[in-house]
Amino acid sequence: MHRLTGSGDRIERVGAWMFPQRWPLFRGSGWNRAVREGRVTVHRFEPATHVGPRSYISRTALLPDGRSHLARTAETVVTLIRDHFRSHAQEDPRP
């Protein structure tokens, strides 16, 4: 599981509060077990927000390196997908 988030993402923080499965109190929930087992990787997208002009998919908000937030998000997602399929191809080579 890959969690894309940023400190400015209030919606993601509210979601963590709204869904009891994510509360630390519920240690046996699937989410908390996955976190404990290291199956959740957090990708920090600073200074992106969930929505608005600085959102993860903004074409106009620019990073210091000149890329848009959208370009960074797309590059990250494509890389994660490619890495996933590469690791699975090594585990199960097909004839």
Side-chain angles (χ1 to χ4, degrees):
M1 164 80 68
H2 294 275
R3 181 177 157 221
L4 310 178
T5 189
S7 60
D9 189 343
R10 293 182 183 149
I11 292 175
E12 197 263 345
R13 285 196 311 267
V14 168
W17 175 78
M18 287 178 52
F19 298 102
Q21 313 82 301
R22 289 197 174 193
W23 299 355
L25 173 69
F26 295 102
R27 293 184 46 81
S29 73
W31 175 261
N32 285 315
R33 283 194 323 269
V35 169
R36 204 169 39 254
E37 294 167 5
R39 293 185 289 135
V40 177
T41 303
V42 178
H43 301 271
R44 304 294 301 191
F45 282 19
E46 304 302 347
T49 60
H50 198 85
V51 295
R54 294 184 318 143
S55 75
Y56 301 112
I57 59 171
S58 173
R59 291 181 177 154
T60 56
L62 299 178
L63 299 164
D65 66 6
R67 291 180 300 155
S68 69
H69 285 204
L70 176 61
R72 173 182 56 188
T73 301
E75 289 168 11
T76 300
V77 170
V78 167
T79 298
L80 293 171
I81 292 168
R82 285 182 177 154
D83 290 350
H84 173 80
F85 281 103
R86 280 188 195 117
S87 69
H88 280 61
Q90 291 172 357
E91 292 171 7
D92 182 28
R94 300 191 181 216

